[in-house]
Amino acid sequence: MTKEDLRIIYMGTPDFAVESLRVLVENGYNVVAVVTMPDKPIGRHGSVLQPSPVKQYAVEHGLKVLQPEKLKDPSFIDELHSLKADLQIVVAFRMLPEIVWSMPPLGTFNAHASLLPKYRGAAPINWAIINGEQETGITTFFLKHEIDTGDIIQQVRIPIEDTDNVEIVHDKLMVLSGKLVTETVDNIIAGTVTSIPQDQILNVPLTPAPKIFRDTCRIDWNQPTKHLYDFIRGLSPYPAAWTTLEGKAVKIYETEKDFTMSSSAPGTLFTDGKSCLKVGTADGWINIKVLQLEGKKRMPITDLLRGFKFKENAFFL
């Protein structure tokens, strides 16, 4: 079987999933349909429907698009059957029921943005950075019942630099995912895949990567400087770590570590009124470089201090 003969159904929704689809399409793989989320209502009254990034790409390239509300809907299942796919590929999509992932004869594989079995879950890039990991990667694996637990096909690793935030690592992994997806497909076609059960990978802590909510992002200034630095870059630029100043939310996007021992309580602010804003931590300071006050634009601290004065003895809570 060649890549032109292999019938592929591709499933994904956000920007991260577009790159793998693009690489497949532009390299002549036979993508017979794309499955993505239904269009999302936007605007004040929800009267405008916004297609997912994957749908936008698929429509631009004349691909068949399926957008089921429910993945067990009989009409959707019938349509999948009618497409006679040999293989399904999932990148940043929903959890699939068995009736869907078990359908194609060559199986369904997922490209996940972590080095499984570490960081199973919805937010692997964020949690790897928050936890101060020095490397991450992409894993392709065959789907099974429990989420992110299937047998591993291939992995590729990249370093996480100390200055990387989520956006930087996301973009690196997005490109890496496109390369690994096509490599995995080629190996499946060639019959050279030898998958490894995740429980055979020893001495790897099963660190979870659950979905991130607003409360997850609140900063606890009682934590050590290094932890806070990683926490903030692990949520930057989205959804963004936040704290409060006089009861109003402040989002923090970029910081520097300062291990000079603070004589102030955690959360206490120090500023020279020109270019420096520091926050006390459990063992030093966090120097804030970019933030956003509630109701204001995101801006560098030097720009903020030109027009905003912090009160004496101000603190973040």
Side-chain angles (χ1 to χ4, degrees):
M1 183 179 289
T2 67
K3 66 181 182 182
E4 292 83 8
D5 297 324
L6 183 76
R7 296 177 63 82
I8 296 171
I9 291 178
Y10 185 87
M11 303 183 182
T13 294
D15 286 321
F16 188 89
V18 174
E19 176 66 11
S20 294
L21 177 59
R22 183 192 69 78
V23 173
L24 289 167
V25 170
E26 294 184 8
N27 284 279
Y29 291 84
N30 184 19
V31 179
V32 297
V34 169
V35 182
T36 190
M37 291 286 285
D39 295 356
K40 184 179 180 180
I42 60 171
R44 181 174 295 180
H45 305 293
S47 56
V48 178
L49 294 178
Q50 183 178 54
S52 73
V54 163
K55 180 182 177 179
Q56 292 178 48
Y57 180 89
V59 169
E60 288 168 5
H61 291 81
L63 300 174
K64 182 180 181 64
V65 177
L66 306 178
Q67 295 178 274
E69 290 281 353
K70 296 180 180 179
L71 295 174
K72 292 183 179 180
D73 185 289
S75 62
F76 171 63
I77 300 301
D78 288 346
E79 192 156 18
L80 284 185
H81 273 296
S82 72
L83 291 167
K84 296 180 169 51
D86 301 299
L87 177 70
Q88 292 177 155
I89 300 171
V90 180
V91 181
F93 193 54
R94 298 149 67 183
M95 185 174 179
L96 301 182
E98 182 176 2
I99 193 173
V100 173
W101 59 255
S102 65
M103 191 179 296
L106 294 178
T108 299
F109 78 81
N110 179 277
H112 184 73
S114 81
L115 298 172
L116 291 173
K118 293 185 74 172
Y119 297 107
R120 295 169 177 164
I125 303 174
N126 300 89
W127 286 107
I129 299 172
I130 288 169
N131 290 334
E133 299 284 357
Q134 295 182 338
E135 70 170 1
T136 185
I138 296 289
T139 302
T140 53
F141 67 96
F142 287 115
L143 264 64
K144 60 186 289 187
H145 288 286
E146 295 78 15
I147 191 167
D148 297 336
T149 61
D151 293 356
I152 290 174
I153 307 169
Q154 292 178 247
Q155 285 186 329
V156 61
R157 299 168 180 263
I158 61 163
I160 299 176
E161 304 297 340
D162 186 60
T163 53
D164 285 348
N165 64 12
V166 167
E167 185 173 46
I168 292 169
V169 177
H170 171 281
D171 290 352
K172 289 179 184 177
L173 291 179
M174 181 172 63
V175 173
L176 203 62
S177 177
K179 294 177 180 177
L180 191 61
V181 162
T182 53
E183 204 174 299
T184 300
V185 174
D186 289 343
N187 290 333
I188 289 172
I189 291 172
T192 57
V193 167
T194 303
S195 57
I196 303 170
Q198 292 190 35
D199 59 11
Q200 291 185 13
I201 300 175
L202 304 176
N203 302 318
V204 176
L206 299 181
T207 315
K211 186 175 180 178
I212 290 175
F213 298 95
R214 187 173 187 274
D215 286 349
T216 313
C217 303
R218 184 159 191 169
I219 300 169
D220 177 3
W221 297 105
N222 292 294
Q223 297 295 318
T225 298
K226 176 62 165 63
H227 172 82
L228 289 168
Y229 174 78
D230 292 337
F231 183 80
I232 290 165
R233 70 191 179 104
L235 295 166
S236 178
Y238 181 81
W242 64 278
T243 185
T244 59
L245 176 68
E246 298 178 350
K248 293 186 177 181
V250 179
K251 293 181 178 180
I252 300 178
Y253 295 94
E254 185 180 335
T255 66
E256 292 177 341
K257 304 183 290 287
D258 182 347
F259 292 107
T260 305
M261 190 61 192
S262 172
S263 59
S264 302
T268 302
L269 300 183
F270 169 81
T271 180
D272 63 0
K274 297 178 181 179
S275 62
C276 172
L277 178 65
K278 302 200 297 186
V279 192
T281 71
D283 63 353
W285 300 89
I286 284 289
N287 293 334
I288 297 179
K289 309 302 291 182
V290 180
L291 55 62
Q292 182 178 7
L293 299 179
E294 187 173 318
K296 305 291 184 181
K297 294 181 180 179
R298 171 180 169 177
M299 63 182 69
I301 193 63
T302 49
D303 292 350
L304 177 73
L305 291 176
R306 289 193 188 102
F308 183 86
K309 302 300 180 184
F310 288 89
K311 294 179 181 178
E312 190 174 350
N313 300 319
F315 61 92
F316 283 152
L317 185 64

